[in-house]
Amino acid sequence: MASCSRWWRAPIYFTISVVLAFIAISTALNSPSNNTTPPTRPISHHLSLNASIALRRSGFNIMATLLLISPEIFLLSPNTTIFAIKDSALTNASLPPWFLKHLLQYHTSPLIFSLDDLLKKPQGSCFPTLLSPKNVAVTKVGARERLVEINHVLVSHPDIFLEGNVAIHGVLGPFSSLSSQDFGRVWDSIQAPICDANSSLVLDVSETKNLVEWTRIVHLLSSNGFVSFAIGLNSVLDGILEDYRVLNAVTIFAPPELACVASPSPMLDKIVRLHILPQRITYSQLAFLPDKTMLRTLLPNQEVEITGDLNVTKGLAVNGVEIVAPEIFSSKEVIVHGISQALEVAELPTTSR
């Protein structure tokens, strides 16, 4: 009888465990030692509290708690649209906390959309998420029924919260399958749609913002002895900005010397992009990944492999190249690891623009 009377505590215990996991992730990502710049914008406690209350009233208890405790996971841009995942979808999946963080960012867009805005979007069009450069697609629009599906998932609770520059909608399930067993491959685990290049929902440049301070990065690389890589990055920067209009964070593996920096070229563009990841990963987070984890780079169709162990003398390596100077620079959006030599680029077609 006593055991039966405590059945209702299970969801609460699960929520607490999720919250604690995210607090740990948030602390690791945003500790004073890892940040030298202020947040992108102040996070209003009043705003996150109101949003959390609205989510809880609609039955999205886990998302409500996470938004209240760790709003910085979601509120990284001037405008935000959150697609809240049902509690049942999260409780039925066994996910590593770091993967869950990426999943939630895949359900958050740096643009703001009310239901009326979504109903105006052409079917098949895409818009960006915080898990740049992965997008989500509007796969069904029923203006008469006022129904919208994103990645074939119904927006079941539209306009749960509309206040300021934040919009929140509830969805029936996650936008990506949670059945993958290879969570070490973050970018492969979260399956994003292939967006129509001719889609009329092309990113509005006036609505997007590249949060990475590239000019500052070039100067920092140069002043820390990575002169040739800084020159190379500066030479191909226009192409990176064109291809990645919404880029919230990067990890750079900086080599001491870089060939082909005399003038911009397709090969230089490939080499530089191979050394940059579209996410911020600390040295300890790299060490926590399973051995031989593959991580996506800014070079299309090419990943880098993380190997090694913090408990051995050699330490961690990227494509077999040792990380010799971890975290020589770290901010909220950028982290730079020094490596012993430049990474080699496989034979791939020239990057298209």
Side-chain angles (χ1 to χ4, degrees):
M1 184 76 171
S3 61
C4 294
S5 65
R6 291 193 292 269
W7 66 269
W8 55 271
R9 298 184 184 180
I12 297 176
Y13 290 155
F14 177 83
T15 301
I16 292 173
S17 67
V18 173
V19 171
L20 291 176
F22 270 82
I23 291 174
I25 292 173
S26 178
T27 300
L29 292 177
N30 300 291
S31 61
S33 61
N34 287 336
N35 287 289
T36 57
T37 59
T40 304
R41 65 178 172 120
I43 297 173
S44 168
H45 176 71
H46 176 76
L47 185 65
S48 60
L49 176 60
N50 287 349
S52 178
I53 292 173
L55 279 165
R56 201 172 299 280
R57 285 174 177 169
S58 297
F60 295 84
N61 297 302
I62 295 174
M63 293 288 288
T65 304
L66 291 174
L67 182 61
L68 183 62
I69 299 299
S70 296
E72 64 276 4
I73 294 174
F74 309 92
L75 306 180
L76 292 176
S77 63
N79 298 305
T80 302
T81 298
I82 300 172
F83 295 95
I85 307 172
K86 293 180 64 176
D87 288 2
S88 58
L90 295 175
T91 54
N92 291 335
S94 178
L95 305 176
W98 58 266
F99 177 84
L100 189 54
K101 175 177 179 290
H102 285 291
L103 182 69
L104 294 177
Q105 290 185 325
Y106 184 55
H107 287 71
T108 307
S109 175
L111 306 177
I112 183 168
F113 301 112
S114 65
L115 176 63
D116 288 336
D117 295 328
L118 292 172
L119 289 171
K120 295 175 184 176
K121 303 303 180 186
Q123 186 168 312
S125 58
C126 290
F127 55 87
T129 71
L130 292 185
L131 195 63
S132 176
K134 286 186 178 290
N135 300 320
V136 291
V138 178
T139 50
K140 184 175 181 180
V141 178
R144 179 177 298 179
E145 304 87 355
R146 295 184 64 79
L147 296 178
V148 175
E149 288 186 5
I150 298 176
N151 286 18
H152 303 288
V153 176
L154 178 66
V155 177
S156 57
H157 295 67
D159 295 343
I160 288 177
F161 181 79
L162 296 174
E163 182 177 325
N165 293 329
V166 176
I168 301 178
H169 312 283
V171 293
L172 280 183
F175 291 158
S176 175
S177 171
L178 303 184
S179 61
S180 173
Q181 298 300 311
D182 190 7
F183 290 119
R185 298 172 63 90
V186 177
W187 300 98
D188 288 344
S189 298
I190 295 181
Q191 301 295 323
I194 298 175
C195 296
D196 182 2
N198 298 318
S199 169
S200 59
L201 201 158
V202 180
L203 293 183
D204 183 349
V205 177
S206 65
E207 291 184 290
T208 63
K209 181 180 180 182
N210 195 307
L211 301 180
V212 179
E213 299 179 22
W214 290 105
T215 302
R216 185 185 179 200
I217 293 173
V218 171
H219 291 160
L220 286 166
L221 287 168
S222 180
S223 63
N224 281 277
F226 301 92
V227 178
S228 61
F229 186 77
I231 294 172
L233 175 60
N234 189 63
S235 298
V236 302
L237 189 53
D238 287 344
I240 293 176
L241 291 174
E242 182 179 343
D243 292 343
Y244 296 90
R245 296 181 181 180
V246 179
L247 196 59
N248 300 309
V250 294
T251 297
I252 299 175
F253 296 110
E257 298 293 336
L258 194 66
C260 309
V261 297
S263 61
S265 67
M267 179 54 68
L268 177 61
D269 185 71
K270 289 187 194 179
I271 293 173
V272 171
R273 290 180 186 230
L274 181 65
H275 289 76
I276 304 175
L277 310 181
Q279 56 179 317
R280 182 186 181 279
I281 309 181
T282 65
Y283 190 68
S284 60
Q285 288 171 329
L286 288 172
F288 183 72
L289 295 174
D291 191 37
K292 297 185 178 181
T293 290
M294 304 299 293
L295 297 176
R296 190 177 184 279
T297 71
L298 294 191
L299 179 59
N301 304 316
Q302 191 154 346
E303 302 173 316
V304 291
E305 181 184 64
I306 306 299
T307 56
D309 191 334
L310 282 178
N311 297 320
V312 298
T313 305
K314 190 174 181 180
L316 301 180
V318 184
N319 282 5
V321 176
E322 186 178 1
I323 300 176
V324 293
E327 302 184 27
I328 58 175
F329 172 73
S330 178
S331 71
K332 186 175 179 64
E333 294 83 23
V334 180
I335 194 161
V336 179
H337 304 294
I339 56 178
S340 59
Q341 65 184 56
L343 305 177
E344 295 184 2
V345 178
E347 291 297 325
L348 293 173
T350 301
T351 302
S352 60
R353 303 249 178 94

